[in-house]
Amino acid sequence: MKLNTNSNAYIIIYSAILVVIVAFLLAFVYQALKPMQDANVALDVKKQILYSLNIRDLDGAEAEAKYAEVVKEEKDIDGQKVYECQIDGQDIIVANLKGMGLWGGISGYIAIDNDGKVYGAYFNHDSETAGLGAEIKDSQAWQEKFIGKNIWNEKGDVVLSIVKKVDDPSTQVDCVTGATLTSNGVDAMIKDGLKNVKNYAIGKLLESIASSDSTVVEPKAEEE
């Protein structure tokens, strides 16, 4: 019996077999590449943390080595990642932040020094407009404006903010030109994220200060 390749049954069966084969091949390729993809994602996260510590321009192997050197511990504070780091003998806390920009998700890392000030900052985005909102990621100069800013006031409120016009240079950063809504998203993300880790961060900073004070050697009294 001659097979009728023009029949509806043949076309449906043939198409179904092709779909199964293609699906199998795609699943196989995905599983084969997944470890590499996961490694690339993990490396990208490590690089972003290093960027917030003002450590940039490292290749993959250098970034892995530097991350292992400076990041001492990773913790989870109510679902928020916090990294305990040490650079040149100074304890630094890096807080992971997540929020919403104009067109999609945004994220970032704020590094906090022993004085409760910004040691460094890095921000990322999913789909902000190139040349405008995307500048939160692409402009290192804008990220560096955060360095040295106070984060909390004496009451523990987050005072670090992004504004259209800077009135208090000790706590405020001007928004990205032409990207007010994205800047507002970053501002909200900072306030929510740093409020959440406030108690932990301040506690660790006080521990660091106390530890530093305890290592101070008292001068010996002069013999009579």
Side-chain angles (χ1 to χ4, degrees):
M1 180 178 177
K2 186 178 180 181
L3 183 64
N4 184 5
T5 58
N6 295 319
S7 68
N8 290 336
Y10 175 86
I11 294 173
I12 292 173
I13 294 173
Y14 182 79
S15 298
I17 293 173
L18 280 180
V19 168
V20 171
I21 293 174
V22 171
F24 174 80
L25 291 175
L26 289 175
F28 175 79
V29 171
Y30 172 78
Q31 290 298 326
L33 295 179
K34 192 174 186 303
M36 184 182 300
Q37 293 170 343
D38 291 344
N40 288 336
V41 170
L43 177 60
D44 184 58
V45 169
K46 291 177 180 179
K47 284 186 174 182
Q48 291 185 42
I49 294 170
L50 291 175
Y51 293 160
S52 74
L53 294 167
N54 305 314
I55 303 172
R56 300 175 181 257
D57 301 323
L58 301 179
D59 63 26
E62 291 172 335
E64 290 279 8
K66 195 65 178 178
Y67 182 89
E69 175 189 337
V70 302
V71 179
K72 303 304 180 182
E73 190 171 357
E74 174 185 334
K75 293 197 172 183
D76 189 293
I77 308 299
D78 297 328
Q80 184 175 1
K81 296 291 186 182
V82 175
Y83 303 84
E84 296 180 7
C85 309
Q86 193 171 71
I87 296 180
D88 297 329
Q90 181 180 4
D91 291 325
I92 307 291
I93 295 171
V94 177
N96 177 217
L97 312 174
K98 293 184 179 180
M100 286 297 297
L102 176 59
W103 301 113
I106 57 175
S107 61
Y109 294 91
I110 295 282
I112 307 164
D113 67 16
N114 285 335
D115 296 320
K117 296 183 178 182
V118 177
Y119 182 86
Y122 179 78
F123 303 103
N124 201 355
H125 67 90
D126 291 335
S127 53
E128 297 306 298
T129 306
L132 297 174
E135 288 298 289
I136 66 170
K137 172 186 177 181
D138 300 335
S139 176
Q140 181 178 340
W142 187 74
Q143 294 167 6
E144 289 177 346
K145 290 182 178 181
F146 288 83
I147 297 176
K149 304 295 184 185
N150 293 317
I151 297 175
W152 300 281
N153 61 15
E154 63 278 0
K155 297 179 181 179
D157 300 323
V158 178
V159 291
L160 178 64
S161 58
I162 301 171
V163 296
K164 287 185 178 180
K165 181 181 178 182
V166 174
D167 294 318
D168 182 5
S170 68
T171 62
Q172 297 175 338
V173 174
D174 56 333
C175 66
V176 176
T177 303
T180 302
L181 294 179
T182 302
S183 298
N184 289 343
V186 177
D187 182 68
M189 176 177 70
I190 287 173
K191 286 182 168 57
D192 290 342
L194 295 182
K195 177 182 179 181
N196 189 46
V197 301
K198 176 191 70 177
N199 292 335
Y200 173 79
I202 292 177
K204 292 300 294 183
L205 295 175
L206 291 176
E207 284 181 19
S208 178
I209 293 172
S211 176
S212 298
D213 290 344
S214 67
T215 60
V216 176
V217 179
E218 296 291 337
K220 293 182 179 180
E222 294 183 3
E223 296 181 1
E224 297 183 358

